[in-house]
Amino acid sequence: MIANPHWNGQFSSLESAAKSHARRPTIVHVGDLVIGDGSFVVMAGPCAVESEAQLFRTAEAVAEAGARVLRGGAFKPRSSPYSFQGLGAEGLKLLAKAREHTGLAIVTEVMCREEVSLVAEYADIMQVGSRSMENYSLLEAVGSCGRPVLLKRGMTARLDELLSSAQVIADSGNPDIILCERGIRTFETATRNTLDIAAVPVLKAVSDLPVIVDPSHAAGVRSLVPVLARAAAAVGADGLLVEVHPDPAKAWSDGMQSLTFDQFQEMMDDLRQYVCVSRGDDVRARTSVAAGRA
Ligand code: PEP
Ligand code: MN
């Protein structure tokens, strides 16, 4: 792909985020968890932190199924100003308690530079959401926060623009960046967003950074999440970000696309074969999708 003159031209100005053959892939360490080393790391949990009971139940279920990172928004960027905006600092405290309880690492969104130090006190991975991909002041601030960053593709952003944003974080001193394809706006309305599955191999060809896929925000409906997750595993993604809720019908946000615990477990069991095939492994050699749980 990088030999294609179109891509060479488009990415030639990107230095640390773009691949030079002398460089090695970026491997992101989160405690004892490793992302970008060929393993498949699943991050799962509710769209938003709602209560201790909701978060703890979900954390236990996703850990049991093989997830290594608990997701959950405390600060929520909502399309409507009248929708639930998140529990804020209280949500961060619940996430930290859930980490203590389960051993899962925490990924949670930070929406503005003023909240970077607060979120960094609780999060293991700082999520920069789709709507913030071009918030350069936030990107600079997470560049010096001392935590790995999960950078989501803007819903109308090209891949070179995603890499430019990654470059801002890297240039601000933080090379620990995980890219996330979460679907883009197209003329198609059958899904909430259009999952650009080609983004995974393209980003892997032209950059050194790990790439994960968020099938939940791409699909918008839970029935499509497992099949999109399979596609992500098959094209060599480094992992997933998936929404899971104890009772999706009652979720305060994104219930339609949230998996139940049983559906999540089933998806994880099914994914193993696709992860193994894409990595050339023997399916029987792994008992868990997650790295290090063989
Ligand atoms: C989320 O992960 O809950 C979220 C708001 O995602 P995105 O930024 O991709 O819309
Ligand atoms: Mn969501």
Side-chain angles (χ1 to χ4, degrees), residues 164-178:
S164 290
S165 291
Q167 189 72 56
V168 173
I169 300 171
D171 287 351
S172 304
N174 191 347
D176 293 328
I177 303 162
I178 304 154

Side-chain angles (χ1 to χ4, degrees), residues 47 71 76-77 109 127 129-131 152 182 217 243:
C47 177
R71 65 145 291 149
K76 293 302 303 173
E109 178 157 357
Q127 178 170 325
S130 191
R131 293 161 188 79
K152 295 187 106 178
R182 48 77 76 202
H217 290 86
E243 288 184 339

Side-chain angles (χ1 to χ4, degrees), residues 3-277:
N4 177 327
H6 175 67
W7 289 110
N8 271 342
Q10 200 173 9
F11 292 117
S12 59
S13 63
L14 296 158
E15 286 179 18
S16 73
K19 188 178 237 169
S20 97
H21 289 290
R23 300 185 73 232
R24 297 220 185 111
T26 299
I27 294 181
V28 175
H29 295 267
V30 183
D32 64 352
L33 180 64
V34 184
I35 303 168
D37 65 342
S39 56
F40 192 76
V41 175
V42 178
M43 310 182 186
C47 177
V49 178
E50 298 169 7
S51 68
E52 179 166 324
Q54 171 244 21
L55 190 64
F56 275 45
R57 282 185 64 203
T58 312
E60 284 164 11
V62 299
E64 175 66 29
R68 301 295 307 278
V69 181
L70 175 66
R71 65 145 291 149
F75 293 98
K76 293 302 303 173
R78 303 304 304 281
S79 303
S80 164
Y82 307 112
S83 301
F84 172 58
Q85 306 291 315
L87 295 180
E90 186 50 37
L92 295 176
K93 289 184 187 144
L94 293 177
L95 285 163
K97 272 177 94 172
R99 170 177 47 214
E100 265 172 49
H101 182 64
T102 57
L104 292 171
I106 300 298
V107 60
T108 194
E109 178 157 357
V110 57
M111 286 171 55
C112 64
R113 70 175 297 140
E114 293 72 23
E115 283 159 3
V116 166
S117 55
L118 173 69
V119 176
E121 268 179 50
Y122 297 93
D124 298 294
I125 304 173
M126 307 282 280
Q127 178 170 325
V128 173
S130 191
R131 293 161 188 79
S132 301
M133 191 206 85
E134 289 173 297
N135 180 342
Y136 297 106
S137 134
L138 174 63
L139 298 176
E140 282 169 10
V142 294
S144 54
C145 74
R147 301 266 182 228
V149 176
L150 172 57
L151 177 63
K152 295 187 106 178
R153 181 182 184 180
M155 57 188 92
T156 59
R158 294 191 313 256
L159 295 177
D160 62 314
E161 293 167 329
L162 172 62
L163 287 178
S164 290
S165 291
Q167 189 72 56
V168 173
I169 300 171
D171 287 351
S172 304
N174 191 347
D176 293 328
I177 303 162
I178 304 154
L179 302 173
C180 180
E181 162 60 34
R182 48 77 76 202
I184 50 174
R185 285 261 164 91
T186 67
F187 54 81
E188 181 56 72
T189 55
T191 49
R192 181 175 178 185
N193 293 284
T194 299
L195 181 65
D196 179 10
I197 199 69
V200 177
V202 170
L203 290 169
K204 286 194 148 288
V206 299
S207 99
D208 298 318
L209 301 174
V211 184
I212 69 165
V213 167
D214 172 350
S216 307
H217 290 86
V221 287
R222 76 182 66 85
S223 61
L224 294 179
V225 169
V227 73
L228 297 185
R230 276 185 194 168
V235 294
D238 295 287
L240 296 174
L241 183 70
V242 183
E243 288 184 339
V244 179
H245 194 280
D247 187 355
K250 298 208 176 109
W252 297 358
S253 63
D254 287 348
M256 295 260 291
Q257 66 199 32
S258 299
L259 299 180
T260 64
F261 298 164
D262 286 350
Q263 288 166 335
F264 181 69
Q265 175 76 63
E266 207 175 302
M267 182 191 84
M268 293 292 277
D269 292 344
D270 168 71
L271 274 177
R272 198 168 303 130
Q273 59 192 306
Y274 296 90
V275 172
C276 292
V277 166

